[in-house]
Amino acid sequence: MKNRWMLCGVALLLFLAIYAKPAFADFPRQKLISSKFFNESQMIIVEANGWDTKYAKLSTYEKIDGVWQKALSDMPATIGYNGFAQVMKEGGGASPTGIYNIGTGFGWAAKPAGTTYSYRVTTSYDYWVDDVSSPDYNKWIYFTGNPSSRWKSFERMNHPLYKYGAVIKYNENPIVAGKGSAIFLHVWKSSTSATAGCVAVSEANMKNILGWMNSKKKPLIVMGPTAKIDGYLYARSEKLNEVDILVNGVKHEFDQPPVLIDGRTLAPFRGIGELLGATVEWDATNETVHAELNGTTVELKYLSNIVKINGKSITLDTAPIIINNRLVVPVRFFAEAFDAEVKWDGSKNMVFINK
Protein backbone atom coordinates (compact mmCIF):
# COMPACT_ATOMS: atom_id res chain seq x y z
CA MET A 1 0.00 0.00 0.00
CA LYS A 2 2.81 2.38 0.90
CA ASN A 3 4.49 1.79 -2.47
CA ARG A 4 1.20 2.37 -4.24
CA TRP A 5 0.78 5.78 -2.59
CA MET A 6 4.36 6.66 -3.48
CA LEU A 7 3.73 5.78 -7.12
CA CYS A 8 0.55 7.87 -7.12
CA GLY A 9 2.49 10.80 -5.68
CA VAL A 10 5.19 10.53 -8.36
CA ALA A 11 2.53 10.35 -11.07
CA LEU A 12 0.83 13.47 -9.71
CA LEU A 13 4.09 15.38 -9.68
CA LEU A 14 4.81 14.38 -13.27
CA PHE A 15 1.32 15.45 -14.33
CA LEU A 16 1.73 18.85 -12.70
CA ALA A 17 5.17 19.32 -14.22
CA ILE A 18 3.85 18.66 -17.70
CA TYR A 19 0.48 20.41 -17.63
CA ALA A 20 0.75 23.18 -15.07
CA LYS A 21 0.98 26.80 -16.22
CA PRO A 22 4.55 28.11 -16.24
CA ALA A 23 5.70 29.34 -12.84
CA PHE A 24 6.19 33.08 -13.03
CA ALA A 25 9.48 32.83 -11.13
CA ASP A 26 10.81 30.72 -13.99
CA PHE A 27 9.26 32.89 -16.68
CA PRO A 28 11.10 36.25 -16.66
CA ARG A 29 8.94 39.30 -17.20
CA GLN A 30 10.50 40.17 -20.55
CA LYS A 31 9.52 36.74 -21.90
CA LEU A 32 6.06 36.98 -20.38
CA ILE A 33 5.40 40.36 -22.02
CA SER A 34 6.78 39.13 -25.35
CA SER A 35 4.47 36.11 -25.34
CA LYS A 36 1.29 38.07 -24.57
CA PHE A 37 1.56 41.61 -25.98
CA PHE A 38 1.77 41.90 -29.76
CA ASN A 39 -0.20 45.02 -30.72
CA GLU A 40 1.59 47.48 -28.42
CA SER A 41 5.22 48.52 -28.12
CA GLN A 42 5.38 50.48 -24.84
CA MET A 43 4.38 49.52 -21.31
CA ILE A 44 4.53 51.08 -17.86
CA ILE A 45 4.35 48.79 -14.82
CA VAL A 46 3.45 50.26 -11.43
CA GLU A 47 3.85 47.75 -8.63
CA ALA A 48 3.82 47.86 -4.85
CA ASN A 49 4.89 45.51 -2.08
CA GLY A 50 1.34 44.55 -1.11
CA TRP A 51 -2.16 46.03 -1.27
CA ASP A 52 -2.07 48.60 1.53
CA THR A 53 1.05 50.68 0.91
CA LYS A 54 1.21 54.08 -0.75
CA TYR A 55 4.73 53.45 -2.08
CA ALA A 56 5.30 51.90 -5.49
CA LYS A 57 7.90 51.36 -8.19
CA LEU A 58 7.37 52.44 -11.80
CA SER A 59 9.16 50.55 -14.59
CA THR A 60 9.06 51.11 -18.33
CA TYR A 61 9.37 48.61 -21.17
CA GLU A 62 9.59 49.11 -24.91
CA LYS A 63 9.61 46.80 -27.92
CA ILE A 64 12.48 47.69 -30.25
CA ASP A 65 13.09 45.66 -33.42
CA GLY A 66 10.75 42.98 -32.11
CA VAL A 67 12.38 42.66 -28.69
CA TRP A 68 10.82 43.92 -25.44
CA GLN A 69 13.40 45.51 -23.13
CA LYS A 70 13.66 47.86 -20.20
CA ALA A 71 13.50 51.52 -21.26
CA LEU A 72 13.94 54.29 -18.67
CA SER A 73 15.50 53.68 -15.28
CA ASP A 74 13.07 52.45 -12.64
CA MET A 75 11.62 55.27 -10.56
CA PRO A 76 9.81 55.65 -7.23
CA ALA A 77 6.10 56.41 -7.33
CA THR A 78 3.21 56.92 -4.95
CA ILE A 79 -0.34 55.64 -5.27
CA GLY A 80 -3.61 56.03 -3.36
CA TYR A 81 -3.53 56.57 0.40
CA ASN A 82 -5.37 53.26 0.74
CA GLY A 83 -2.96 51.49 -1.61
CA PHE A 84 -4.34 49.34 -4.40
CA ALA A 85 -8.05 48.58 -4.41
CA GLN A 86 -9.39 45.05 -4.53
CA VAL A 87 -12.78 46.63 -5.28
CA MET A 88 -12.75 50.14 -6.71
CA LYS A 89 -15.28 52.74 -5.64
CA GLU A 90 -15.62 56.50 -5.98
CA GLY A 91 -13.79 58.35 -3.23
CA GLY A 92 -12.18 55.17 -1.90
CA GLY A 93 -8.68 56.63 -1.86
CA ALA A 94 -7.19 53.60 -3.61
CA SER A 95 -5.67 53.02 -7.03
CA PRO A 96 -7.12 50.54 -9.55
CA THR A 97 -5.39 47.33 -10.56
CA GLY A 98 -5.15 45.73 -13.98
CA ILE A 99 -4.08 46.77 -17.49
CA TYR A 100 -5.19 50.06 -19.06
CA ASN A 101 -4.44 52.16 -22.10
CA ILE A 102 -2.75 55.50 -21.51
CA GLY A 103 -4.61 58.46 -22.93
CA THR A 104 -3.50 61.97 -23.79
CA GLY A 105 -0.79 63.80 -21.94
CA PHE A 106 -1.85 67.07 -20.32
CA GLY A 107 -0.78 69.85 -18.02
CA TRP A 108 -1.22 73.52 -17.22
CA ALA A 109 2.42 74.00 -18.22
CA ALA A 110 3.50 74.06 -21.85
CA LYS A 111 4.29 70.77 -23.55
CA PRO A 112 7.80 69.73 -22.49
CA ALA A 113 10.48 70.30 -25.11
CA GLY A 114 11.15 67.25 -27.25
CA THR A 115 7.83 65.59 -26.39
CA THR A 116 6.00 64.11 -29.39
CA TYR A 117 3.26 62.39 -27.37
CA SER A 118 -0.22 63.90 -27.65
CA TYR A 119 -0.53 66.71 -25.08
CA ARG A 120 -3.30 69.10 -24.11
CA VAL A 121 -2.67 72.32 -22.21
CA THR A 122 -5.34 72.74 -19.54
CA THR A 123 -7.15 75.94 -18.61
CA SER A 124 -9.38 77.16 -15.81
CA TYR A 125 -12.34 75.89 -17.86
CA ASP A 126 -11.19 72.26 -17.93
CA TYR A 127 -12.80 69.87 -15.44
CA TRP A 128 -12.86 66.13 -14.76
CA VAL A 129 -16.25 65.19 -13.39
CA ASP A 130 -16.54 62.80 -10.42
CA ASP A 131 -20.21 63.48 -9.69
CA VAL A 132 -21.70 59.95 -9.82
CA SER A 133 -25.18 61.34 -10.56
CA SER A 134 -24.06 63.27 -13.65
CA PRO A 135 -24.06 61.98 -17.23
CA ASP A 136 -20.61 63.61 -17.41
CA TYR A 137 -19.21 61.22 -14.78
CA ASN A 138 -15.57 60.28 -15.40
CA LYS A 139 -15.30 62.61 -18.38
CA TRP A 140 -13.10 65.58 -19.21
CA ILE A 141 -15.41 68.53 -19.82
CA TYR A 142 -14.60 72.04 -21.04
CA PHE A 143 -17.12 74.40 -19.43
CA THR A 144 -17.06 78.19 -19.15
CA GLY A 145 -19.96 78.47 -16.70
CA ASN A 146 -20.13 77.95 -12.94
CA PRO A 147 -19.12 74.29 -12.38
CA SER A 148 -20.89 74.10 -9.01
CA SER A 149 -24.20 74.77 -10.71
CA ARG A 150 -23.68 71.81 -13.05
CA TRP A 151 -21.94 69.18 -10.91
CA LYS A 152 -21.87 68.17 -7.27
CA SER A 153 -18.24 67.15 -7.51
CA PHE A 154 -15.42 67.79 -9.98
CA GLU A 155 -11.67 68.22 -10.32
CA ARG A 156 -9.99 71.23 -11.85
CA MET A 157 -7.56 70.13 -14.50
CA ASN A 158 -5.28 73.08 -13.72
CA HIS A 159 -4.63 71.70 -10.22
CA PRO A 160 -1.06 72.47 -9.04
CA LEU A 161 -0.10 68.77 -9.18
CA TYR A 162 -1.35 68.54 -12.76
CA LYS A 163 1.52 70.60 -14.11
CA TYR A 164 2.32 67.52 -16.18
CA GLY A 165 0.33 64.34 -16.44
CA ALA A 166 -1.30 61.68 -18.58
CA VAL A 167 -4.75 60.12 -18.49
CA ILE A 168 -5.03 56.51 -17.36
CA LYS A 169 -8.03 55.21 -19.29
CA TYR A 170 -9.73 53.54 -16.34
CA ASN A 171 -13.51 52.93 -16.18
CA GLU A 172 -14.14 54.16 -19.71
CA ASN A 173 -15.75 51.42 -21.78
CA PRO A 174 -18.34 51.41 -20.42
CA ILE A 175 -18.27 54.08 -17.73
CA VAL A 176 -19.80 52.66 -14.55
CA ALA A 177 -21.08 55.27 -12.10
CA GLY A 178 -19.39 54.96 -8.72
CA LYS A 179 -16.59 52.65 -9.88
CA GLY A 180 -13.98 55.41 -9.72
CA SER A 181 -12.94 58.37 -11.82
CA ALA A 182 -10.15 60.80 -12.68
CA ILE A 183 -7.25 58.32 -12.57
CA PHE A 184 -4.09 59.97 -13.85
CA LEU A 185 -0.32 59.65 -13.88
CA HIS A 186 0.90 63.03 -12.62
CA VAL A 187 3.45 64.98 -10.58
CA TRP A 188 3.64 64.13 -6.90
CA LYS A 189 3.46 66.55 -3.99
CA SER A 190 6.42 64.80 -2.40
CA SER A 191 8.01 61.36 -2.34
CA THR A 192 6.03 60.54 0.82
CA SER A 193 2.67 62.00 -0.22
CA ALA A 194 -0.04 59.57 -1.29
CA THR A 195 -2.62 60.36 -3.94
CA ALA A 196 -6.40 59.97 -3.92
CA GLY A 197 -6.08 57.08 -6.39
CA CYS A 198 -3.74 58.27 -9.12
CA VAL A 199 -0.10 57.33 -9.70
CA ALA A 200 2.39 60.11 -8.99
CA VAL A 201 6.10 60.57 -9.71
CA SER A 202 8.56 63.43 -9.47
CA GLU A 203 8.21 66.31 -11.91
CA ALA A 204 11.47 65.39 -13.63
CA ASN A 205 10.37 61.79 -14.05
CA MET A 206 6.93 62.82 -15.31
CA LYS A 207 8.58 64.92 -18.00
CA ASN A 208 10.86 62.01 -18.90
CA ILE A 209 7.85 59.69 -19.25
CA LEU A 210 6.03 62.16 -21.51
CA GLY A 211 9.16 62.53 -23.61
CA TRP A 212 9.54 58.75 -23.88
CA MET A 213 5.95 57.82 -24.73
CA ASN A 214 4.97 57.49 -28.38
CA SER A 215 1.30 57.46 -29.40
CA LYS A 216 2.08 55.14 -32.32
CA LYS A 217 3.42 52.57 -29.85
CA LYS A 218 0.07 52.43 -27.99
CA PRO A 219 1.44 52.66 -24.44
CA LEU A 220 -0.22 50.62 -21.69
CA ILE A 221 -0.01 50.82 -17.92
CA VAL A 222 -0.17 47.75 -15.66
CA MET A 223 -0.94 48.39 -11.99
CA GLY A 224 -1.09 46.24 -8.88
CA PRO A 225 0.80 44.47 -6.09
CA THR A 226 4.00 42.84 -7.30
CA ALA A 227 2.60 39.40 -6.49
CA LYS A 228 -0.29 40.02 -8.92
CA ILE A 229 1.43 41.77 -11.85
CA ASP A 230 2.65 38.67 -13.68
CA GLY A 231 -0.80 37.14 -13.33
CA TYR A 232 -2.34 40.17 -15.04
CA LEU A 233 0.24 39.88 -17.83
CA TYR A 234 -0.27 36.13 -18.23
CA ALA A 235 -4.05 36.53 -18.52
CA ARG A 236 -3.73 38.90 -21.48
CA SER A 237 -5.34 37.66 -24.70
CA GLU A 238 -4.97 39.72 -27.87
CA LYS A 239 -6.52 39.24 -31.28
CA LEU A 240 -3.86 38.61 -33.88
CA ASN A 241 -3.89 39.26 -37.62
CA GLU A 242 -3.62 35.76 -39.09
CA VAL A 243 -1.92 35.22 -42.45
CA ASP A 244 -2.13 32.46 -45.07
CA ILE A 245 1.07 30.96 -46.50
CA LEU A 246 1.31 29.24 -49.87
CA VAL A 247 4.45 27.27 -50.65
CA ASN A 248 4.87 26.45 -54.33
CA GLY A 249 1.21 27.27 -54.86
CA VAL A 250 -0.11 25.07 -52.04
CA LYS A 251 -1.73 26.54 -48.94
CA HIS A 252 -0.47 25.02 -45.72
CA GLU A 253 -1.96 24.83 -42.24
CA PHE A 254 0.15 25.21 -39.09
CA ASP A 255 -0.55 24.26 -35.46
CA GLN A 256 -0.11 27.96 -34.70
CA PRO A 257 -1.43 30.10 -37.58
CA PRO A 258 1.10 32.50 -39.10
CA VAL A 259 0.51 36.08 -37.94
CA LEU A 260 1.36 39.62 -38.98
CA ILE A 261 3.02 41.63 -36.19
CA ASP A 262 4.59 45.05 -36.73
CA GLY A 263 4.43 44.52 -40.48
CA ARG A 264 6.31 41.21 -40.37
CA THR A 265 4.92 37.70 -40.92
CA LEU A 266 5.89 35.14 -38.27
CA ALA A 267 5.25 31.38 -38.53
CA PRO A 268 6.18 28.26 -36.51
CA PHE A 269 9.86 27.55 -37.16
CA ARG A 270 9.55 23.81 -37.60
CA GLY A 271 6.56 23.97 -39.93
CA ILE A 272 8.00 26.61 -42.24
CA GLY A 273 11.49 25.10 -42.15
CA GLU A 274 10.37 21.60 -43.10
CA LEU A 275 8.16 22.97 -45.91
CA LEU A 276 11.29 24.53 -47.35
CA GLY A 277 13.03 21.16 -47.12
CA ALA A 278 15.38 22.16 -44.30
CA THR A 279 16.50 20.02 -41.39
CA VAL A 280 15.37 21.89 -38.27
CA GLU A 281 16.47 21.43 -34.66
CA TRP A 282 15.56 23.22 -31.43
CA ASP A 283 18.23 23.71 -28.76
CA ALA A 284 16.13 24.18 -25.61
CA THR A 285 19.14 24.91 -23.42
CA ASN A 286 20.22 27.90 -25.49
CA GLU A 287 16.73 28.67 -26.84
CA THR A 288 18.07 28.55 -30.38
CA VAL A 289 16.76 27.24 -33.70
CA HIS A 290 19.23 25.57 -36.06
CA ALA A 291 18.24 24.91 -39.67
CA GLU A 292 20.29 23.48 -42.53
CA LEU A 293 19.61 23.02 -46.23
CA ASN A 294 22.05 22.29 -49.06
CA GLY A 295 25.05 23.52 -47.09
CA THR A 296 23.40 26.68 -45.77
CA THR A 297 22.97 26.91 -42.00
CA VAL A 298 20.69 29.38 -40.26
CA GLU A 299 20.59 30.10 -36.53
CA LEU A 300 17.93 32.16 -34.74
CA LYS A 301 17.72 32.75 -31.00
CA TYR A 302 14.51 33.32 -29.07
CA LEU A 303 13.96 37.05 -28.37
CA SER A 304 17.06 38.10 -30.29
CA ASN A 305 17.06 40.03 -33.55
CA ILE A 306 20.64 38.93 -34.26
CA VAL A 307 20.67 35.87 -36.52
CA LYS A 308 23.40 33.92 -38.24
CA ILE A 309 23.75 32.58 -41.78
CA ASN A 310 26.73 30.28 -42.12
CA GLY A 311 28.13 31.82 -38.95
CA LYS A 312 27.81 35.43 -40.12
CA SER A 313 25.70 37.66 -37.85
CA ILE A 314 22.89 39.75 -39.30
CA THR A 315 20.59 42.15 -37.43
CA LEU A 316 16.86 42.00 -38.24
CA ASP A 317 14.04 44.39 -37.36
CA THR A 318 12.11 41.62 -35.62
CA ALA A 319 12.83 38.54 -33.51
CA PRO A 320 11.53 35.02 -32.85
CA ILE A 321 8.86 35.01 -30.15
CA ILE A 322 6.52 32.50 -28.54
CA ILE A 323 2.78 32.52 -29.30
CA ASN A 324 0.56 29.88 -27.68
CA ASN A 325 3.63 27.85 -26.69
CA ARG A 326 4.96 27.81 -30.26
CA LEU A 327 8.15 29.54 -31.33
CA VAL A 328 7.50 31.62 -34.44
CA VAL A 329 10.17 33.10 -36.70
CA PRO A 330 10.25 35.82 -39.40
CA VAL A 331 9.11 34.07 -42.57
CA ARG A 332 10.76 36.28 -45.19
CA PHE A 333 14.19 36.06 -43.61
CA PHE A 334 13.92 32.33 -42.98
CA ALA A 335 12.78 31.53 -46.52
CA GLU A 336 15.14 33.88 -48.35
CA ALA A 337 18.07 32.52 -46.35
CA PHE A 338 17.46 29.26 -48.20
CA ASP A 339 17.15 31.00 -51.59
CA ALA A 340 13.35 30.90 -51.75
CA GLU A 341 11.38 33.70 -53.40
CA VAL A 342 8.93 35.47 -51.09
CA LYS A 343 6.06 37.76 -52.12
CA TRP A 344 3.44 39.48 -49.96
CA ASP A 345 -0.12 40.20 -51.12
CA GLY A 346 -1.65 42.64 -48.66
CA SER A 347 -5.04 42.55 -50.39
CA LYS A 348 -5.31 38.82 -49.61
CA ASN A 349 -3.29 38.79 -46.39
CA MET A 350 -1.19 36.09 -47.98
CA VAL A 351 2.48 35.14 -48.32
CA PHE A 352 3.65 33.32 -51.45
CA ILE A 353 6.85 31.27 -51.21
CA ASN A 354 8.38 29.62 -54.22
CA LYS A 355 11.39 27.35 -54.11
Side-chain angles (χ1 to χ4, degrees), residues 241-244 246 260 265 343-352:
N241 183 7
E242 295 184 0
V243 173
D244 290 326
L246 277 71
L260 189 67
T265 300
K343 293 183 178 180
W344 165 250
D345 187 337
S347 66
K348 297 179 180 179
N349 228 30
M350 189 172 289
V351 175
F352 297 88

Side-chain angles (χ1 to χ4, degrees), residues 88-345:
M88 276 289 288
K89 62 181 181 179
E90 185 64 43
S95 300
T97 62
I99 302 174
Y100 307 100
N101 294 313
I102 300 178
T104 187
F106 67 87
W108 51 261
K111 185 175 185 176
T115 297
T116 61
Y117 193 68
S118 60
Y119 187 88
R120 179 175 170 180
V121 177
T122 60
T123 70
S124 59
Y125 300 121
D126 288 296
Y127 305 91
W128 199 284
V129 181
D130 50 19
D131 177 357
V132 297
S133 65
S134 170
D136 297 327
Y137 178 69
N138 199 29
K139 294 178 182 178
W140 184 337
I141 303 294
Y142 181 85
F143 181 57
T144 57
N146 178 6
S148 297
S149 66
R150 182 170 174 178
W151 307 297
K152 297 176 183 177
S153 182
F154 54 85
E155 287 197 32
R156 298 182 184 276
M157 294 300 287
N158 62 349
H159 186 287
L161 296 182
Y162 297 165
K163 182 176 182 179
Y164 301 107
V167 174
I168 296 174
K169 295 172 75 66
Y170 167 77
N171 190 23
E172 284 202 356
N173 188 24
I175 295 173
V176 178
K179 195 177 179 180
S181 63
I183 305 298
F184 310 129
L185 173 60
H186 64 76
V187 175
W188 64 23
K189 183 177 181 180
S190 74
S191 62
T192 59
S193 297
T195 71
C198 296
V199 177
V201 295
S202 70
E203 180 176 325
N205 282 332
M206 188 66 241
K207 291 173 70 175
N208 286 338
I209 292 170
L210 287 171
W212 166 71
M213 288 196 298
N214 184 332
S215 301
K216 294 181 179 179
K217 295 194 172 186
K218 304 176 183 178
L220 298 172
I221 187 165
V222 186
M223 303 167 59
T226 297
K228 295 290 184 180
I229 292 292
D230 285 352
Y232 300 151
L233 298 174
Y234 187 83
R236 181 76 168 188
S237 179
E238 295 192 351
K239 182 175 177 58
L240 291 170
N241 183 7
E242 295 184 0
V243 173
D244 290 326
I245 292 182
L246 277 71
V247 178
N248 296 326
V250 179
K251 180 181 174 182
H252 292 272
E253 303 293 333
F254 299 82
D255 54 1
Q256 162 57 49
V259 295
L260 189 67
I261 298 176
D262 298 330
R264 297 291 179 264
T265 300
L266 303 173
F269 78 91
R270 188 172 299 279
I272 196 68
E274 291 178 351
L275 284 174
L276 292 168
T279 300
V280 184
E281 295 181 353
W282 167 244
D283 179 349
T285 301
N286 296 304
E287 299 182 320
T288 302
V289 173
H290 299 273
E292 189 275 332
L293 178 64
N294 297 332
T296 297
T297 61
V298 176
E299 182 178 301
L300 302 94
K301 186 175 178 61
Y302 172 45
L303 291 184
S304 173
N305 59 356
I306 298 176
V307 301
K308 292 182 179 180
I309 299 180
N310 294 331
K312 182 180 179 181
S313 295
I314 299 173
T315 301
L316 303 181
D317 59 0
T318 189
I321 61 174
I322 287 178
I323 302 176
N324 296 326
N325 297 318
R326 292 289 182 271
L327 186 79
V328 295
V329 298
V331 169
R332 180 176 292 277
F333 163 77
F334 206 54
E336 290 183 343
F338 294 119
D339 296 323
E341 180 186 55
V342 181
K343 293 183 178 180
W344 165 250
D345 187 337

